[in-house]
Amino acid sequence: MAGYLDEGGGRYDTLYAGVNGAAAPTAKPTAVLTIANGLALIAAYFQESP
């Protein structure tokens, strides 16, 4: 996952969050989405941090 975090005032920081060697608990696509959702939560945390 990559993108920009809006710091306000026209300032943006770059964000890259990757997963290396992760294993999904099952072969179902929903298991992979669980990992992706975790990354999205991390990005949201950084965006909301002061």
Side-chain angles (χ1 to χ4, degrees):
M1 172 178 293
Y4 298 95
L5 299 174
D6 186 353
E7 296 295 327
R11 186 172 156 227
Y12 295 89
D13 290 332
T14 56
L15 168 74
Y16 171 79
V19 176
N20 188 15
T26 68
K28 295 180 182 178
T30 54
V32 175
L33 289 176
T34 300
I35 295 168
N37 285 338
L39 285 174
L41 288 172
I42 292 169
Y45 173 78
F46 281 124
Q47 182 63 48
E48 294 174 1
S49 293

